[in-house]
Amino acid sequence: MINTIDSQTSVFLLITLACGLVAFTVLFFVLRKLGKSPKTMLPLNFAGKIRIPLALFMLALILRIIKTNDEVLSIVDERVLSHSSTLLFILSITWALIVIIKAFKRHILTKYDMSATDNIHARKIYTQFNVLERVIIFLIVLFAVSIALMSFDSIRSIGISMLTSAGIAGIIIGFAAQKALGTLMAGIQIAFTQPIRMDDVVVVEGEWGRIEEIYLTYVVVKIWDKRRLVLPTTYFIEKPFQNWTRNSSDILGTVFIYTDYTVPFDALRKELTRILENTELWDGEVNVLQVTDTNNEMVESRALMSAKDSPTAWDLRVLVREKLVVFIQENYPQSLPRTRIEMQAEPVSKIPSQQKNDPGKSDLLKKEN
């Protein structure tokens, strides 16, 4: 192949390749400099991530320039060069768009702190951008694949013939894809209406956990014991569930104490106040102790307290429950739950004296004597 190319064509190819390499080097250097500047929104590693799509774009551009040379076309088929450059253009632009979208999302999310105590707004932004990023990337990839397939005349004709001759099959596939499309639309709906957000505390299927990941078709809930519960996005649209951090992260915690009727409730209230005032888990808002139920054996008392978030409320409830039990054990052991049984002696029954109405034979003999 090399022997058939004249010197002029060889120089043309070398100059084209050299220009492409120089252009790639200059663009890469500029992007790396811009990434280091704090005034731009480009991340530090943006140049490294866009290096491959940039190289593919320059290669596609080189193939377009080479295609203008008649000597090269006498050796390589023009359709091969055209399709190769077209596919490289589509791949490089698609790849670059995905990198830019991810960089833009990362730049926006750096302004919001998810580790803050009051992170409702941050979780809202995180949820919107994560879901919208996946939707946009899905649409970009779908559009790029469609354009790539349309660039081939044979595939385009096959596709048109399949669409015109397989109407019934298309209807069946459409019905079969209803659930998948519904799941996809539910993911988009979650991004805008936000019944759940990233890091929300939820109770689903009887499990307590946090929203760890939200995808277009499913949601991952991190259970308190480090298990993962994977649910379809339609679950959070169609079924009821508990969201403990929908409007705010603060929450009320309850502790139930069961005691005997002799327990002094005022002393319990003072002890509850002392426990709460001596721990950083309490946010200082709610401190209540009420008698909520009674039965023939014991009294139910409910201690109500508040905390800044649900994990803190759980730790506070455990602490209060332990301290109240110890307080009753040490100061009022007689007020612990007990079962009473009262034993009564059965009264001795008195045998009534027999009333003798009819005289016996012996009595008649005595009277005769």
Side-chain angles (χ1 to χ4, degrees), residues 172-221:
I172 296 174
I173 294 174
F175 277 110
Q178 275 186 346
K179 192 169 184 179
L181 291 175
T183 305
L184 181 63
M185 295 304 298
I188 298 174
Q189 185 176 352
I190 286 176
F192 289 98
T193 60
Q194 294 197 347
I196 55 172
R197 293 181 291 259
M198 299 292 294
D199 205 41
D200 261 347
V201 177
V202 295
V203 178
V204 289
E205 298 294 318
E207 300 283 358
W208 183 96
R210 289 182 177 273
I211 301 295
E212 186 178 37
E213 296 174 294
I214 301 177
Y215 293 93
L216 283 178
T217 56
Y218 65 93
V219 176
V220 179
V221 181

Side-chain angles (χ1 to χ4, degrees), residues 180-285:
L181 291 175
T183 305
L184 181 63
M185 295 304 298
I188 298 174
Q189 185 176 352
I190 286 176
F192 289 98
T193 60
Q194 294 197 347
I196 55 172
R197 293 181 291 259
M198 299 292 294
D199 205 41
D200 261 347
V201 177
V202 295
V203 178
V204 289
E205 298 294 318
E207 300 283 358
W208 183 96
R210 289 182 177 273
I211 301 295
E212 186 178 37
E213 296 174 294
I214 301 177
Y215 293 93
L216 283 178
T217 56
Y218 65 93
V219 176
V220 179
V221 181
K222 183 179 180 181
I223 308 302
W224 64 273
D225 57 0
K226 297 186 178 181
R227 290 178 294 147
R228 264 61 174 182
L229 183 63
V230 181
L231 298 167
T233 52
T234 53
Y235 181 94
F236 297 94
I237 302 298
E238 299 173 353
K239 294 185 179 181
F241 64 94
Q242 297 183 37
N243 189 335
W244 290 11
T245 54
R246 181 69 179 89
N247 297 319
S248 62
S249 58
D250 57 335
I251 192 171
L252 296 180
T254 56
V255 171
F256 289 94
I257 299 294
Y258 299 92
T259 59
D260 189 69
Y261 276 79
T262 59
V263 68
F265 299 109
D266 290 335
L268 279 183
R269 291 188 177 94
K270 291 180 181 179
E271 179 63 15
L272 174 62
T273 302
R274 188 192 69 81
I275 295 171
L276 295 178
E277 290 178 347
N278 286 275
T279 178
E280 296 179 354
L281 301 174
W282 184 48
D283 62 0
E285 295 294 331

Side-chain angles (χ1 to χ4, degrees), residues 22-42:
V22 170
F24 170 78
T25 304
V26 171
L27 287 175
F28 181 76
F29 179 78
V30 170
L31 290 175
R32 189 170 60 180
K33 286 293 184 181
L34 290 176
K36 293 181 180 180
S37 176
K39 297 180 180 180
T40 62
M41 60 173 289
L42 298 179

Side-chain angles (χ1 to χ4, degrees), residues 34-96:
L34 290 176
K36 293 181 180 180
S37 176
K39 297 180 180 180
T40 62
M41 60 173 289
L42 298 179
L44 293 175
N45 58 346
F46 179 76
K49 290 185 177 181
I50 207 170
R51 177 177 54 190
I52 297 178
L54 181 61
L56 294 176
F57 182 83
M58 296 306 301
L59 180 58
L61 188 60
I62 290 172
L63 291 178
R64 286 287 183 181
I65 297 174
I66 291 175
K67 194 181 70 170
T68 60
N69 189 282
D70 296 332
E71 184 68 24
V72 175
L73 293 180
S74 63
I75 301 173
V76 183
D77 190 359
E78 181 182 3
R79 291 178 298 178
V80 175
L81 291 176
S82 297
H83 283 146
S84 299
S85 61
T86 300
L87 293 177
L88 287 174
F89 271 127
I90 296 172
L91 178 60
S92 61
I93 293 174
T94 303
W95 197 334

Side-chain angles (χ1 to χ4, degrees), residues 4-20:
T4 59
I5 299 177
D6 56 15
S7 59
Q8 186 177 1
T9 305
S10 300
V11 172
F12 169 75
L13 292 176
L14 289 175
I15 293 175
T16 304
L17 291 175
C19 291

